[in-house]
């Protein structure tokens, strides 16, 4: 599912994906490595080397990481005050977060995968819509 829609996460090893999926909570370093690699910012060898931190990431922090890594534009408030609070609100408004959600909740491996998949699908559909508009304008 994630490998087909995302396209950028194919370089992960099966063992690493399994370890993430089985994790009841993901560390900040694991989330950062996974999200940045999905955004095309890190090679897979770097991802495997930074996955050592044990500090659990909260959903608001993950949302901010996603907004920055994928260079997503936010509303006026996010532009003025970029951070976990308004990042969470932006991704929730875009319906990229599973329900129920709370910015203070810890993120499991499965939730991380689902959110990243939704972001990649969103970006892909947004890109297709832009291409269709460009073709129609000609």
């Amino acid at each position: 599912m994630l490998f087909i829609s995302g396209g950028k996460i194919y370089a992960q090893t099966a063992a690493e994906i399994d370890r993430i999926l089985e994790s009841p909570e993901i560390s900040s370093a694991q989330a950062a490595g996974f999200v940045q690699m999905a955004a095309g910012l890190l090679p897979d060898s770097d991802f495997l080397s930074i996955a050592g931190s044990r500090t659990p990431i909260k959903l608001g922090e993950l949302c901010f990481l996603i907004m920055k890594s994928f260079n997503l534009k936010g509303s006026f408030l996010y532009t003025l005050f970029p951070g976990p609070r308004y990042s969470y609100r932006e991704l929730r408004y875009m319906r990229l977060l599973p329900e129920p959600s709370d910015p203070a909740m810890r993120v499991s491996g499965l939730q991380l995968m689902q959110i990243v998949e939704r972001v990649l699908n969103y970006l892909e559909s947004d890109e297709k819509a832009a291409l269709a508009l460009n073709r129609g304008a000609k």
Side-chain angles (χ1 to χ4, degrees):
M1 102 181 144
L2 182 65
F3 304 100
I4 296 170
S5 64
K8 293 184 181 184
I9 304 180
Y10 61 88
Q12 293 297 330
T13 64
E16 183 62 26
I17 296 293
D18 287 343
R19 191 171 67 188
I20 289 172
L21 283 171
E22 293 170 356
S23 297
E25 56 187 38
I26 293 295
S27 72
S28 297
Q30 285 176 309
F34 190 82
V35 169
Q36 289 177 349
M37 197 177 83
L41 301 176
L42 286 176
D44 57 331
S45 59
D46 289 341
F47 169 69
L48 295 173
S49 66
I50 66 171
S53 174
R54 301 228 187 267
T55 307
I57 194 165
K58 295 180 180 167
L59 185 57
E61 296 165 346
L62 177 63
C63 292
F64 186 51
L65 173 65
I66 288 171
M67 293 285 289
K68 292 300 230 177
S69 297
F70 286 98
N71 199 26
L72 296 174
K73 306 298 179 211
S75 68
F76 179 72
L77 286 173
Y78 176 77
T79 304
L80 287 178
F81 308 106
R85 178 180 182 171
Y86 291 109
S87 300
Y88 169 79
R89 289 180 175 197
E90 289 298 321
L91 293 184
R92 190 167 150 217
Y93 174 77
M94 290 186 257
R95 297 181 182 190
L96 300 177
L97 300 177
E99 292 294 333
S101 64
D102 180 314
M105 71 183 237
R106 292 181 177 180
V107 180
S108 72
L110 180 60
Q111 290 168 327
L112 172 68
M113 296 279 192
Q114 290 172 339
I115 294 167
V116 170
E117 178 185 22
R118 287 178 178 192
V119 170
L120 291 171
N121 287 334
Y122 172 82
L123 292 172
E124 186 178 316
S125 66
D126 199 35
E127 188 177 298
K128 286 179 183 177
L131 286 173
L133 282 176
N134 287 340
R135 286 186 198 136
K138 290 182 181 181

